[in-house]
Amino acid sequence: MELFLFKHGLSEKIDRPKPPALNVVWRDGKTRLTIGSNFYLEMSNRVQVRYTHVFPDETVKLPGTEAAADSQGSFRIRRAKLKFEAGSTSPG
């Protein structure tokens, strides 16, 4: 609407609506975003990781290492879970 008025040289005040309030809270292992008074979105995640480090004998050369007896570490994500929950209520 403002572009239309500007394009045609009209000066009229336009009241813009206020954006809804955004509230971010972390509670009970979940991040909850509340938008306005009638919508929320909860996000939670869970990750299981594993780190291993191999120390071979002096005669063993592992793949990916430069020389025999070089140790090698690895990091793996075994499981990962991301969960979204949302809800709304009718205004009024």
Side-chain angles (χ1 to χ4, degrees):
M1 187 70 184
E2 291 176 350
L3 285 174
F4 176 80
L5 295 174
F6 177 76
K7 180 179 177 181
H8 296 287
L10 303 171
S11 60
E12 193 172 319
K13 176 132 171 83
I14 302 293
D15 294 328
R16 291 183 179 209
K18 289 185 176 182
L22 175 65
N23 188 19
V24 180
V25 177
W26 186 81
R27 161 183 65 180
D28 298 328
K30 299 177 182 178
T31 302
R32 183 180 183 125
L33 295 122
T34 305
I35 302 169
S37 61
N38 60 354
F39 178 78
Y40 72 90
L41 173 69
E42 289 182 344
M43 298 179 292
S44 60
N45 59 26
R46 182 179 296 179
V47 178
Q48 180 183 3
V49 296
R50 182 176 184 176
Y51 179 78
T52 57
H53 202 100
V54 179
F55 295 97
D57 291 333
E58 292 185 11
T59 59
V60 177
K61 180 183 179 308
L62 295 175
T65 59
E66 293 183 10
D70 283 350
S71 63
Q72 182 181 39
S74 66
F75 177 80
R76 294 184 181 129
I77 297 176
R78 307 262 310 182
R79 295 182 187 104
K81 176 181 171 181
L82 176 62
K83 184 177 179 181
F84 293 100
E85 298 176 53
S88 67
T89 59
S90 61

